[in-house]
Amino acid sequence: MATKLIYFFGNGSAEGKSAMKDLLGGKGANLAEMTNLGVPVPPGFTISTEVCKSFYENNRNYPEELEGQIKTNLKKLEQIMGKKLGDAKDPLLVSVRSGAAVSMPGMMDTILNLGMNDKAVIGLAEVTQNERFAWDAYRRFIQMFGNVAMGLDINVFENILADMKKSKKVELDTDLDAGDLQQLVDKYKKAYKAKLKKAFPQDPIEQLHAAIDAVFGSWNNEKAIKYRKLNNITGLLGTAVNVQSMVFGNFGDDSGTGVCFSRDPSTGKKVFYGEFLMNAQGEDVVAGIRTPETITSLKKKNAKAYKQLVEIKDKLENHYHDMQDMEFTIQQGELFILQTRNGKRTGPAALKCAVDMVKEKLITKEEAIFRVTPGQLDQLFHPMINPKTKSSLNVIAKGLNASPGAAAGQIVFTAEDAEDWAKDGKKVLLVRQETSPEDIGGMDAAQGILTSTGGMTSHAAVVARGMGTPCVAGCKEVVVSGKSMKVGAKKYKEGDLITIDGTTGEVFEGEVELINPVVTRDLATFLGWADEIRHKAVRDGIKGKGFFVRTNADQPADAKVARNFGAEGIGLCRTEHMFFDAGKLEIFQEMIVANDLDARKKALKKLLPLQKKDFKGIFKAMNGLPVTVRLLDPPLHEFIPKTNAEIKELAGKLGIKPADLKKKAESLHELNPMLGHRGCRLGITYPEIYDMQVEAIMTAACEIAKAKGKVEPEIMIPLVGTKKELELLRKNAEGVIKQVFKKKGMKVKYKIGTMIEIPRAALTAETIAEEADFFSFGTNDLTQMTFGYSRDDIGSFIGDYLDQNVLERDPFQTLDTVGVGSLVDMAVKKGRSVKENMKMGICGEHGGDPDSIKFCYKTGLNYVSCSPYRVPIARLAAAQSVLEDSGK
Amino acid sequence: MATKLIYFFGNGSAEGKSAMKDLLGGKGANLAEMTNLGVPVPPGFTISTEVCKSFYENNRNYPEELEGQIKTNLKKLEQIMGKKLGDAKDPLLVSVRSGAAVSMPGMMDTILNLGMNDKAVIGLAEVTQNERFAWDAYRRFIQMFGNVAMGLDINVFENILADMKKSKKVELDTDLDAGDLQQLVDKYKKAYKAKLKKAFPQDPIEQLHAAIDAVFGSWNNEKAIKYRKLNNITGLLGTAVNVQSMVFGNFGDDSGTGVCFSRDPSTGKKVFYGEFLMNAQGEDVVAGIRTPETITSLKKKNAKAYKQLVEIKDKLENHYHDMQDMEFTIQQGELFILQTRNGKRTGPAALKCAVDMVKEKLITKEEAIFRVTPGQLDQLFHPMINPKTKSSLNVIAKGLNASPGAAAGQIVFTAEDAEDWAKDGKKVLLVRQETSPEDIGGMDAAQGILTSTGGMTSHAAVVARGMGTPCVAGCKEVVVSGKSMKVGAKKYKEGDLITIDGTTGEVFEGEVELINPVVTRDLATFLGWADEIRHKAVRDGIKGKGFFVRTNADQPADAKVARNFGAEGIGLCRTEHMFFDAGKLEIFQEMIVANDLDARKKALKKLLPLQKKDFKGIFKAMNGLPVTVRLLDPPLHEFIPKTNAEIKELAGKLGIKPADLKKKAESLHELNPMLGHRGCRLGITYPEIYDMQVEAIMTAACEIAKAKGKVEPEIMIPLVGTKKELELLRKNAEGVIKQVFKKKGMKVKYKIGTMIEIPRAALTAETIAEEADFFSFGTNDLTQMTFGYSRDDIGSFIGDYLDQNVLERDPFQTLDTVGVGSLVDMAVKKGRSVKENMKMGICGEHGGDPDSIKFCYKTGLNYVSCSPYRVPIARLAAAQSVLEDSGK
């Protein structure tokens, strides 16, 4: 039996179903599912993604059986429709659309009205009794086919159309009559032949094959590849091709087309939400050229269709257990559903949908956990404009609130500029009349996006929401021309500062103060479920040693914020950050420039009470949760100024000669400070510094405990590469602690552990473990040394590396599980071979990255630690990790 | 049965033997062996090293049995000698000396004349009929006992002695008579009591126990620990203690003492060599206070003793199959041998002895291979003064040629200064009246050593030879005072430049031109044996894939030198070193500052023929041996000047604005260049650079092959961390090579491989191996990244790390087998799991380090590559590796 390459749907039954997304793509699988559900879907068939895979694997050749199967399915379609492709009397027209297993909106090709030719146009005009419609469909097809399938510049046709309108002195396409359009078809065909050196094909089968070629070919076009990369879409076979009988929303005023959602994709509220345009084809809505009407106004125009649509959206949401994004067309009053899929949504909407649907018993809590991506949750923490200052701000324009969050930046007018400026470290806002898929890179680089045309489902709006980038769309007051824009009489040029609020659609002049949003009750509910799942798994012994979310915090205030976000401890308190406060920095500098041990000790003695106070504040804020304090890590020269003026100033303060200070600074200079005299190396060469820090930590802990407070200090020694380092420094610390306990007449439980951040530490972890009560993986440094990449200098080549797929992800954002991860895994195993229950965690920035968190859980770490604002994201990712790992 | 802790020797037989060095120490084992051989050795007993071990393991307590066993052995000794310790009539006197399994000259304690007290001195005077001798022996003992066993400052006694000589108006100790010495004893005892608050002990058993304590205690004194560390002496149990009946070289003019060697330890010539002093104790020779006579002049003074000594040295050399270093004493005409051991020797002497002894059939070739350490071989390549310029040089002084090789540097006058100045990167010569064991650190830090007193066996001379440091000793013209020295009327102060020639004993003013020595025929013979052993092992299949010595060479001239030294290929040709030639550098700079691809290509085109020429030269020099060429590695900013003046100059040459060049330089600046945009990262971002280099290499190879030359090019891509990098760059290179072959109408065999120098590369070597024909371990970078140490910045803490034993060795000198080595091992196994016979080598500087070479052989590498002058050392170390690994 020949391999089945094509799946038919129509007449109330389909060969495919929703579960076959990998094979039929999302669109094809859902068309089949809807057909089986009795939803009115125009019949058609889906060519599977395996054909696409085979196409690329076989040097762009199709499987032998394909042509025959197309023939068979087309015949079936013609039978059901009672029409024939290219028929001179009642022609069948079809659309040819892409559709991969993961939605890639606008990235791949679509061809509509296929089957039109010189004969069919006559037949269509007759059977529809609408000559204008027939000629318009023909001219649209030639344009689309020429552009999409044959690669002609769209302006070849647009210019002819513009000339025609000019000569007819009309403004809109709809003002052209049938005769005009017939002339246009003639001109289009001539232009087609002139450019391509062959006539526009009259054979519909030839048209169909060319269209299928174009769709499969578009799988690997530049923008599709870039989109998959930006969205980390991997592992797909390719796109499917859907050949479906056409229905027309541009049949006249009783026809129309639209997009609707079963809930509001922006807020998640359970309201029917959508837009439509009467007398238009689907592309008109998506392209954002005309501004559409809201879905509720359809009720007035066609009550029956509206009622049917409401029933269908309820049916589909109940069936799919998720919010649906549907495309529909009304042809001469009759409703057709062209597509349904789980709707893309903003972070707040995802959260609200998930929480509401659990309450509605539509989904379980476990399912809800996967309904919000960590990225979407992150959107909840995007900056917003300070409400207090907002009333006094000058709103210069208002558009659609297309993607929530506020953003401020310098305006640029091309995607290229956005990328270039962002590379230079500038914050930019991308301003466009409308965006197109080619702009993806620039949209990603921008803080926010502002467009002057297009609706809530326009390209800019959809993509921005997906990216979590604030966007104001369809802001008509903004008139873009070249590299400047006018709002009213005022002109803004490239580089001027603008702020947008994607939650309200407002546009402000200048850079406005932004603040972070407050946490809603839904968030607490949702994260409560996440924690419940995470801790229950641990209680049930799925992983024996717990999986906690801690935070990186260096100040009592940060610690408080993090606890409010649900942090279950501090995984990294960087003591040196405490030195940067005015007052402390100077004393620390005095210590650095000291010429002998006595002078150093004198300065450290001054620092001691100040550090102790900080530690007490942090311990209090954490109220008995574990607090890992890292002893001094950066090289000393980081604390000494570089410029002559600064040196002079500091020398004055310290009462030494500027020349001497300069000499000291020079003596501290390092060629590769990342690999220099830092971390525990300072502890070995200047034991008095660590002694002071340990004394401050433990004195603070004793004083808290004495006042009946709870405290769980963990002293962490950084940058250990040999067992001996930890052995020496542990011995020193224990000596100091003994003295503190004696002085305070009491004891407090504590741990002394180390960071595993040097490859050698991971490689020899079984020896280091002998001296350590815990391991904390410092994956920032570990990534730097394992790859040999300086994070500060990677900018000059990381772009090329990502573009050329040398790296799939930036290893500083997402942990490289293959290389760096193998060291982590090795260290966990080696460490636990010595101390079976050793507590291990991660305190690199990967601790807030969802994919890295999953790795950490799998590898058996006991906690992740991340910045306060990432704590909720980590709680969600951790719950997802637990569920995924348990196979749920 | 009680554990045997003590081994007796005397009366022609001994309980120990030479093979028991670990237990009895070198000295004790050899005293036993000599006794059994019938050599006249004063009887005595050896307390084993296990007692020392037990002493330190049990909180400085001795095994219970020890006291009893000392008693028994002492009784036996008294019986044989017919004298009793502390006897008022004919007292036995003994020496108490240290002696570990490995010689540590002068590092541990010795006490002579033990047994003297107020009664014994009378008895000794009577029985020897020499009152002066008896009182001298007593006062020497009090001084030594007080200083060594009781820790009194030596000056306590020296000052009393000096006062006495002053009051008696005499210059030499020997000018003091018996009465003076008796007074001195009285004063010494009073001083002893005043300082120690207890009387000098009269009980000889108490004296003996205190002396044994002192010797065991000295095992862990600071200088002994430092010596062991400097000489990498590990794994010993401790020291033994030798209690031996005294013989006296200071009995009068028919007595004497000396040190002699069975061959010349400086040249290795088979001549009887040594020195002696009449009427002196051994310490007088070693301390270098009086300048001794040569051994041959003993013939005139005591022909019988001389003849007997010659017979003994022949007997011992034949017995031990090695050159012997002996201590002897003549007491009233009778010869005693106090010690024999394998003699320390200079590199040239080691080589000559090894080669001669094989010829004399005293040892086998395999034994000979271990008779020269790689360090000694290295001495053969020490700089010497250019003979051509030598005649015109001003010799300001001449001393003893104590340790060969020439050295130039700034003079310093304390060991501490030598260490400090050397840490600052200065080359220093250490000038001392005489050195002492406390000076070890400074001697090691100095380029050379110059002393004004002391002979060929003085401390300075012995230690310098061991270190391979040039030394001129006993240079009387040099008068040291404080931090300056006078030579004749001329004063030289700290920091002045001086050159010494340790091979001739000459001292020169200023910094004299030094050159490297020529290779002697012995060296070729010896290394021939080494190569024979190495290659035979491979032929015999002991390790299947060969073990070769290659060189790191970047220029045809270097390649030629290395081939002369026996290099079997080039393991690392750094292409960027070629750019540093004038002419080429400018073109390369032009390439760097180019603003676009075309301009870069234009500059590279100019560079192409120049690089091709270099490659042809290298290929010719290597005549078909494999040549590994590494493509560009350092970051581009290394080629751009830093100062404003240089920038201005270069900008002028390149015809661009200085401001633009400065901007370019700033844009290239990196915070951590070691982890920056270098190596294959440049190849990915600027493929045109590698393309040019590959074209130059392969065009050169084709042209050589076309001219009937032999050529084996290996293209090496540096700094690979991911398989994808190598995959891309290999594909590029193969494209270029295809074009070269097409252009030249021929093909040449080649390999494309990579350096494993990034931890991630080792961790993922099984994937990288798929794209690599060979691996070359770049252990310099691998060490930097595995430890997180910047080699450029390590200076600020490596000293502390070595002092505190955090590191046992500098990991940049000797490969860290535990950490870095585990990555190498991992990569070898992973690589060969994919390609079973993949060629692997090392091209880091460890390739010239003997211990690291041993690791490389064990791990299964196929070659090591080192600098040309290290090639002979590597050949030796490789042969030793092969023999050790095969258990020989």
Side-chain angles (χ1 to χ4, degrees), chain B residues 377 527 549-552 562-568 848 865-876:
Chain B
L377 202 64
L527 289 175
V549 175
R550 296 199 193 179
T551 192
N552 301 349
R563 273 210 73 189
N564 287 340
F565 278 128
E568 297 162 315
S865 187
C866 55
S867 65
Y869 285 93
R870 299 291 296 180
V871 167
I873 288 115
R875 286 163 71 193
L876 171 57

Side-chain angles (χ1 to χ4, degrees), chain A residues 8 154 277 319 329 350 355 403 431-432 455 515 548 582 665 837 880 887:
Chain A
F8 194 84
I154 190 81
L277 277 171
H319 181 73
T329 287
V355 172
S403 179
V431 182
R432 303 280 287 159
I515 62 157
F548 297 92
N837 290 311
Q880 290 182 345

Side-chain angles (χ1 to χ4, degrees), chain B residues 385-603:
Chain B
I385 291 168
N386 189 340
K388 285 177 192 161
T389 61
K390 201 165 173 180
S391 58
S392 64
L393 293 174
N394 177 23
V395 179
I396 56 170
K398 194 165 181 195
L400 300 171
N401 52 343
S403 179
Q410 292 180 280
I411 53 174
V412 291
F413 295 87
T414 71
E416 242 185 272
D417 286 343
E419 289 193 64
D420 286 350
W421 289 42
K423 266 183 203 151
D424 292 344
K426 288 175 183 157
K427 289 185 171 188
V428 296
L429 280 184
L430 178 62
V431 183
R432 302 279 288 157
Q433 184 163 359
E434 57 188 81
T435 63
S436 69
E438 282 76 6
D439 296 333
I440 287 282
M443 294 171 77
D444 192 49
Q447 300 291 310
I449 297 153
L450 171 61
T451 66
S452 54
T453 61
M456 288 298 282
T457 50
S458 65
H459 181 266
V462 170
V463 173
R465 280 201 295 275
M467 286 178 169
T469 302
C471 174
V472 172
C475 186
K476 289 169 203 145
E477 295 112 303
V478 170
V479 180
V480 177
S481 75
K483 294 207 173 180
S484 69
M485 68 177 195
K486 264 192 170 170
V487 183
K490 183 148 188 187
K491 193 172 169 182
Y492 298 86
K493 58 179 201 309
E494 197 184 43
D496 288 345
L497 281 163
I498 289 290
T499 301
I500 61 167
D501 189 344
T503 315
T504 62
E506 290 160 310
V507 181
F508 308 88
E509 202 180 82
E511 192 171 11
V512 168
E513 183 197 350
L514 305 179
I515 61 157
N516 287 303
V518 286
V519 180
T520 73
R521 185 177 300 200
D522 279 347
L523 180 65
T525 305
F526 180 76
L527 289 175
W529 297 338
D531 292 350
E532 198 180 288
I533 286 162
R534 172 162 57 97
H535 291 305
K536 184 172 182 308
V538 173
R539 275 200 311 276
D540 292 353
I542 290 169
K543 294 252 165 170
K545 300 149 229 105
F547 192 52
F548 296 92
V549 175
R550 296 199 193 179
T551 192
N552 301 349
D554 316 318
Q555 299 287 353
D558 295 344
K560 274 175 207 152
V561 168
R563 273 210 73 189
N564 287 340
F565 278 128
E568 297 162 315
I570 289 181
L572 179 61
C573 170
R574 286 156 291 210
T575 49
E576 62 269 14
H577 284 204
M578 298 172 174
F579 297 149
F580 278 111
D581 296 355
K584 279 180 239 171
L585 181 57
E586 223 172 281
I587 305 174
F588 195 64
Q589 289 167 329
E590 183 187 326
M591 194 283 302
I592 293 171
V593 303
N595 281 323
D596 57 41
L597 182 60
D598 281 347
R600 267 202 304 280
K601 281 191 171 169
K602 209 177 123 198

Side-chain angles (χ1 to χ4, degrees), chain A residues 669-677 680-681 684-685 722 724-725 728 758-761 763-764 784-790 792-793 796-797 800-801 804-807 816 818-820 822-823 826, chain B residues 669-677 680-681 684-685 722 724-725 728 758-761 763-764 784-790 792-793 796-797 800-801 804-807 816 818-820 822-823 826:
Chain A
H669 172 76
E670 295 185 312
L671 286 175
N672 296 287
M674 196 56 69
L675 307 176
H677 193 174
C680 71
R681 298 163 198 173
I684 299 278
T685 51
T722 66
K724 194 84 186 183
E725 287 167 323
L728 284 174
I758 283 185
R760 195 178 186 282
L763 291 164
T764 62
Q784 292 198 95
M785 293 176 206
T786 305
F787 272 96
Y789 292 163
S790 161
D792 296 317
D793 304 308
S796 51
F797 61 89
D800 281 324
Y801 267 47
Q804 298 184 46
N805 271 320
V806 173
L807 296 173
D816 159 50
V818 176
V820 180
S822 76
L823 282 176
M826 193 183 294
Chain B
H669 173 75
E670 294 185 311
L671 286 175
N672 297 288
M674 197 54 72
L675 306 176
H677 194 174
C680 72
R681 298 162 198 174
I684 300 277
T685 51
T722 66
K724 194 84 186 184
E725 288 167 323
L728 284 175
I758 284 185
R760 197 179 187 281
L763 292 164
T764 61
Q784 293 199 96
M785 293 177 206
T786 305
F787 272 95
Y789 291 163
S790 161
D792 296 317
D793 304 308
S796 51
F797 61 89
D800 282 324
Y801 266 48
Q804 297 185 46
N805 270 321
V806 174
L807 295 174
D816 158 49
V818 176
V820 181
S822 76
L823 281 177
M826 193 183 295

Side-chain angles (χ1 to χ4, degrees), chain A residues 410 418-428 447:
Chain A
Q410 294 179 279
E419 288 194 63
D420 287 351
W421 289 43
K423 266 183 203 152
D424 293 344
K426 289 176 182 153
K427 288 184 172 188
V428 297
Q447 300 290 310

Side-chain angles (χ1 to χ4, degrees), chain A residues 173-280:
Chain A
D173 299 3
T174 43
D175 294 335
L176 295 174
D177 64 21
D180 299 334
L181 293 167
Q182 189 173 358
Q183 272 185 48
L184 214 51
V185 164
D186 204 45
K187 288 182 189 209
Y188 275 16
K189 286 196 290 184
K190 276 184 188 146
Y192 183 102
K193 193 172 180 185
K195 291 280 174 190
L196 293 172
K197 312 292 172 210
K198 59 179 178 179
F200 172 79
Q202 292 293 323
D203 177 9
I205 299 298
E206 189 186 340
Q207 291 172 2
L208 181 61
H209 282 288
I212 292 169
D213 279 359
V215 173
F216 280 134
S218 69
W219 172 251
N220 273 345
N221 70 27
E222 211 177 298
K223 61 186 180 182
I225 291 173
K226 200 162 185 178
Y227 184 91
R228 288 198 293 272
K229 208 170 100 189
L230 275 174
N231 291 279
N232 292 317
I233 299 171
T234 54
L236 299 188
L237 298 174
T239 185
V241 176
N242 297 291
V243 178
Q244 192 178 18
S245 49
M246 285 292 299
V247 285
F248 296 95
N250 57 342
F251 230 132
D253 290 339
D254 58 350
S255 299
T257 190
V259 175
C260 62
F261 294 81
S262 60
R263 301 185 188 223
D264 184 333
S266 202
T267 65
K269 280 187 190 152
K270 201 180 176 181
V271 291
F272 190 28
Y273 180 89
E275 301 170 321
F276 73 99
L277 277 171
M278 293 311 280
N279 199 13

